Structure formats: structure tokens, C-alpha cells
Amino acid sequence: MTRLNELRADAPTPDRARLVPGRQELLSAAQRGPARRMRMDWRVTAAGVAATVVTIAVLVTMLVGGDEPERGVQPAGSDPTSATALLERAAEVVSQQPDPRPRDGQWVYLKTAQCRNGASDAAPDAEPEVGEEWVQYDSPVREDDEDGDTEPSQRRLYRLLASLPDDPAEIRKRAAEMFPMGKDTGLTREQAETFALLATLDEAYPVHPQGMAKLFRALAADPGIEVVPHLVEDPLGQDTIAIYPDLGSKAVQRREYLLDPDTFQYRGTRSVAVRDYEEKYEDGSSAGRSYKKGEVTFCEMKMAQSLVDQDGEKP
């Protein structure tokens, strides 16, 4: 290998974006396998509700410095302390990725790993639970908001991205219309719009590359978005970039959205305790579960996503 490196010393370094499609194909091929899936609605964490009988202040917030060791790897050449610079770089990279050009009648295969209260008193060494599901790209149920199901179809999300304007304010407005939040969340309008942008990042697949680039630019223009100033290890043991909305100092958790440090593709989300706390019932009594600062209390990682032609088909 040393001799080969010497022979190739004058060869130019390949552009990172040009390597993205092949890398993603390799990762997807390596991540296939059977399992089952559970799901948590993004609005649960955004609103600060862990369960109907448990009242916990879980609005996400910034934890300065963090407890994890800083890693030497720099995310895609950007300043790791600047959310704006990093998200602008993300927009540049994803804009060069191929358009999957989904067709009506296709299905989205999704393999996930989910952890709930991952290092809790009840299960201190719990491993993420792996699962898989198939979602109809143009699902009639998710296309129709009048039936009580307000979760948008994958086709609606793809079309939303494809139709986004350049104006960040208009992008925030359209995202908020797609993911409306209730009146009792305690969030300001601006905060609700930030969560809607992040919900679009979380839910959208397949991804229109130019539209996702515009979404990243809207996040880059959002003063409420912060970035952990070093790569963090996700619950699957992989290095990721972590961005999160800064909602103040009263919360006991923060919600992080994790990105691949090379391709900036979305990997999943996790909630992290920002200080020691104990869950309590409405009457103030203990719910029997406590958390330590830095503990991952929830995660949902996307191990593989792919368009397939029928329900149950694996890529």
C-alpha cells in the first residue's frame, strides 16, 4: 500500500460529493437485514410529553460543551462550531446528490434501530431494537388529512421539497403547514416553525436533492439551531454531526438530529439528558425512573432506506 501511495502521489483528491452515490450504495448494501419496528411521534418530544400519565419538562435545549470527548475528525471541512457554516456546506453537498425520481405505486422500505430510555435504571445496558417497515409512497390514508391521520405521505413530502422557494421565511411557513403543532406546546411561533423544519428533515424520504438543499439553507438561517462542536457517537456506534434547536435553559433534555459527516444525509434522532433528573407523576410522586446528565433517553436511527416496487420487498 505504501508503494501504491507513492505511485499515486500526484493524483488529485476526488471531490467528496462525487463519491457520495457509491458510498451510500455500499452503506445500504451493508445495512440490510430482518427485524421489526416501533415509532415515536416527533411532536411528543417537541411538546415535552413523555407519556399521558407522566409530566416531564423535556423541551430540548443546549448543553454547552457536552460530556463526550472531542474527536479530531472535522465534519466535511466545515467549522464544527458554526451551525450556519456547517448547514450551508450540507446544502452544497446534498444538492449534488442524485434525484431518486420516485413513482406512484412504489413503497419505501425503512430499517430502523430504536432505543427508549437506553441507559435507564430498568435497563442500563439496553441495545437499540431493530425493526423494519414498508410505507406506501402515495398512501391514500396519508394523502388525505380529513380522515384524522395528519401524518403526510412520502409523496407529499417529496413534492413539498421539490416545490420549495429560495426564501427561508416561506420555507418555514410551508413546513409549518405540513407539520402543524398544537396550541399547548409552550413554543413560540418561531420555535414551532423550527421544529417543523426538523420534522421535514426527519420524515422526508425519498429526498428531492435541490429541495433538501433549500431546507438546509433555511436551517442555516435559523438562529435557533445549534451544532455540537465535535462529532458525536450515535447509539449504533457511528460518528455523526448533531444539530439541535436551542429552546432555553429550563429543559432537562435536548433533541438532537444526526447527520452523516460525509454526505450530510439524515441518520436519525436522539434525546439526551442535559442534567440529572427524575420522572414524576402529576401528583409529584416518583415514576420510578431517573436519568443522568449525558444519558441517551430515546433514539430512532435510520439504518437503511430504499424505494421498492411492492409491499414486503427488500432492496
Side-chain angles (χ1 to χ4, degrees):
M1 292 300 295
T2 300
R3 182 57 178 161
L4 179 61
N5 286 335
E6 292 173 351
L7 290 172
R8 295 285 293 165
D10 296 331
T13 301
D15 179 69
R16 185 187 300 273
R18 185 167 60 85
L19 299 178
V20 165
R23 182 178 186 274
Q24 284 306 109
E25 186 174 334
L26 177 62
L27 289 175
S28 296
Q31 292 171 337
R32 295 167 190 160
R36 66 187 185 87
R37 166 172 167 79
M38 299 189 301
R39 181 177 183 79
M40 171 179 272
D41 192 328
W42 68 277
R43 282 159 288 218
V44 172
T45 301
V49 181
T52 55
V53 295
V54 183
T55 56
I56 313 170
V58 295
L59 286 177
V60 287
T61 188
M62 178 180 180
L63 176 60
V64 179
D67 290 336
E68 300 176 69
E70 183 170 351
R71 302 176 187 273
V73 179
Q74 300 296 311
S78 299
D79 177 2
T81 65
S82 169
T84 299
L86 187 142
L87 290 166
E88 288 286 358
R89 172 61 179 161
E92 177 186 346
V93 172
V94 300
S95 69
Q96 301 177 54
Q97 295 171 4
D99 187 341
R101 300 186 182 280
R103 304 184 310 275
D104 290 353
Q106 287 188 296
W107 291 73
V108 174
Y109 168 77
L110 176 61
K111 182 179 180 181
T112 62
Q114 188 181 87
C115 51
R116 292 179 185 273
N117 310 324
S120 66
D121 296 340
D125 299 314
E127 293 292 329
E129 181 175 353
V130 177
E132 59 185 357
E133 71 170 339
W134 287 261
V135 177
Q136 192 173 357
Y137 171 65
D138 51 347
S139 167
V141 174
R142 295 186 178 186
E143 291 276 310
D144 180 11
D145 286 338
E146 296 180 359
D147 61 3
D149 185 343
T150 58
E151 187 172 10
S153 69
Q154 306 312 119
R155 181 170 68 175
R156 289 180 62 191
L157 288 168
Y158 178 84
R159 289 177 174 177
L160 170 69
L161 290 178
S163 66
L164 286 180
D166 294 326
D167 180 18
E170 182 62 23
I171 293 174
R172 294 172 65 87
K173 178 182 176 182
R174 294 193 186 184
E177 291 172 349
M178 184 67 72
F179 291 98
M181 295 195 64
K183 297 180 180 180
D184 300 326
T185 62
L187 301 177
T188 65
R189 179 180 61 82
E190 289 77 12
Q191 290 168 343
E193 288 178 348
T194 296
F195 270 108
L197 291 177
L198 292 168
T200 305
L201 175 67
D202 181 31
E203 297 288 343
Y205 186 88
V207 171
H208 186 279
Q210 297 300 324
M212 183 56 73
K214 292 177 181 179
L215 184 74
F216 273 127
R217 292 188 184 103
L219 286 168
D222 190 329
I225 295 292
E226 301 287 347
V227 59
V228 175
H230 52 80
L231 297 182
V232 302
E233 187 175 285
D234 71 17
L236 301 179
Q238 298 175 315
D239 281 341
T240 59
I241 297 168
I243 62 173
Y244 59 93
D246 181 6
L247 300 182
S249 59
K250 295 182 180 180
V252 296
Q253 296 189 41
R254 71 165 178 254
R255 182 74 173 265
E256 296 179 349
Y257 296 79
L258 307 178
L259 307 173
D260 186 285
D262 294 318
T263 67
F264 290 100
Q265 292 196 355
Y266 179 70
R267 279 191 179 171
T269 183
R270 70 177 189 171
S271 294
V272 181
V274 297
R275 60 173 178 270
D276 296 354
Y277 77 96
E278 181 182 12
E279 287 184 1
K280 295 183 180 297
Y281 292 109
E282 291 182 349
D283 62 4
S285 61
S286 173
R289 191 181 301 278
S290 61
Y291 301 96
K292 298 295 184 181
K293 178 180 176 181
E295 198 171 306
V296 176
T297 63
F298 170 79
C299 82
E300 186 171 68
M301 306 305 301
K302 298 189 177 184
M303 301 174 67
Q305 294 184 99
S306 181
L307 281 168
V308 295
D309 291 328
Q310 58 187 357
D311 187 12
E313 178 185 349
K314 293 188 179 181

